[in-house]
Amino acid sequence: MPWFDQVVPAYWLVTADVKEARKHLNFSEIGKLPAAQQKGFLFEAVNMIQMGAMPLPAYRRVHPDAVVTPDQLTVLRNYLTTPPDPSNAAEVGAKAVTDAAATDVQYGKWVQASQTALEVKPEWNGVPFDPDYNNWKAISSTDRFDNHTMREILGNDVAVKAIADGHINPWPDGAAFAKVAWQQAAPDEKGVVKTGAFIQVELMVKDSAKYASSEGWGWGRWRGTDLKPYGKDAQFQNECMSCHEPVAKNDHVYTMPFSGQTAGGQ
Ligand code: HEC
């Protein structure tokens, strides 16, 4: 049975608010994406469900039965966590080799880059890259049930202070977040899971005047070790904003660091 037939029944329950959901995320298009991207998409969806952002709270009030049950969530999680078949040593071995090779290649590039200082272009909407994100404080790392990527959410000093002071809605100007994603490398011989190849870094920088037309946030995504700005033009940020729209009441930020709660949590 194709994966879509197994997942879709649970998935469509999740997205029972088809009209509203379409406005935010183009569900009808997922089926056309390559398998890896479909999986990535579902991973985001499961994260959002866990954080209570989907189905949209307004819809849930009118249709309480549209809430995803823990069982349905398990179906989705199981689908996403399907590990490589251990009886198929060749498959596991091949993956480990690819991961290790990818990491080595990146390491080589990084060593070179540190000598030639990588020049990173601003995003298409003009938001500049901030290499300092590396020194920001880790606020949370996203659930790693997905076997393919690991993510970390970092906040700058202004964000960290805002958390300490409880001034997080709205977030103060100058607050910034980074979301960094890596491939998850195959576990080593001790079963320790490590980050593999770097995928991308995303930034959200708060400036309510400067970024008034994009919900008060400057959005940016830089991909690969050469940190190439994402998208074709400034429209890319609509994708960011529509996916962060379900947490508009939290000033568009998903991560709720202080109590371990995420947006939508009670
Ligand atoms: C498919 C939905 C989706 C899209 C599209 C999306 N995000 Fe997010 N984003 C999330 C979710 C869910 C989180 C919460 C953390 C997690 O699950 O990894 C998040 C978290 C973040 C964070 C950390 C702060 C926070 O809100 O928790 C940043 C920064 C971020 N996203 C930037 C972006 C940028 C920039 C874009 C567009 C280039 C973008 N996102 C597009 C779903 C999305």
Side-chain angles (χ1 to χ4, degrees):
M1 202 200 286
W3 73 271
F4 215 60
D5 292 351
Q6 294 170 27
V7 178
V8 155
Y11 192 58
W12 279 98
L13 253 171
V14 172
T15 58
D17 190 352
V18 179
K19 237 168 63 199
E20 191 61 21
R22 280 233 174 89
K23 230 165 58 193
H24 295 293
L25 303 161
N26 207 351
F27 290 109
S28 57
E29 295 296 312
I30 331 175
K32 297 182 194 155
L33 298 174
Q37 273 181 42
Q38 290 180 351
K39 234 175 173 178
F41 186 91
L42 283 171
F43 173 66
E44 294 285 7
V46 171
N47 259 346
M48 291 170 81
I49 295 159
Q50 285 181 317
M51 293 180 177
M54 280 166 82
L56 300 171
Y59 181 80
R60 195 162 26 185
R61 271 197 298 279
V62 198
H63 301 272
D65 51 342
V67 176
V68 187
T69 67
D71 281 358
Q72 288 161 345
L73 200 51
T74 307
V75 171
L76 283 167
R77 286 176 66 111
N78 286 349
Y79 167 70
L80 287 167
T81 44
T82 318
D85 179 0
S87 64
N88 184 353
E91 187 188 323
V92 178
K95 184 168 176 349
V97 170
T98 333
D99 288 344
T103 314
D104 284 353
V105 168
Q106 283 199 333
Y107 183 72
K109 279 195 186 156
W110 267 323
V111 170
Q112 269 180 339
S114 63
Q115 278 147 20
T116 54
L118 190 64
E119 239 183 73
V120 183
K121 291 212 180 83
E123 253 297 3
W124 291 92
N125 53 6
V127 172
F129 179 70
D130 186 350
D132 195 40
Y133 83 84
N134 255 321
N135 305 318
W136 296 354
K137 189 163 173 272
I139 302 181
S140 104
S141 64
T142 314
D143 210 344
R144 301 192 218 159
F145 65 82
D146 175 277
N147 241 9
H148 306 286
T149 65
M150 294 168 74
R151 296 128 188 265
E152 194 164 30
I153 312 285
L154 309 164
N156 70 355
D157 288 349
V158 179
V160 170
K161 182 169 186 307
I163 293 165
D165 297 346
H167 292 153
I168 62 166
N169 198 358
W171 290 88
D173 284 351
F177 295 97
K179 175 171 158 184
V180 195
W182 296 269
Q183 299 285 351
Q184 184 174 305
D188 64 15
E189 62 287 352
K190 296 196 191 83
V192 177
V193 170
K194 295 209 180 107
T195 54
F198 168 86
I199 302 171
Q200 66 181 24
V201 54
E202 296 176 304
L203 297 181
M204 278 173 74
V205 181
K206 179 82 189 213
D207 188 327
S208 42
K210 189 169 169 193
Y211 301 128
S213 65
S214 52
E215 317 282 12
W217 292 95
W219 307 82
R221 177 188 281 168
W222 290 265
R223 310 207 61 171
T225 35
D226 53 350
L227 296 167
K228 194 165 172 270
Y230 170 76
K232 298 194 297 283
D233 52 38
Q235 298 299 313
F236 83 90
Q237 65 182 10
N238 294 339
E239 191 185 323
C240 317
M241 287 189 282
S242 62
C243 217
H244 280 247
E245 176 66 24
V247 286
K249 66 177 191 315
N250 293 313
D251 199 9
H252 300 87
V253 173
Y254 273 102
T255 307
M256 292 278 106
F258 54 100
S259 62
Q261 290 262 321
T262 42
Q266 303 305 310

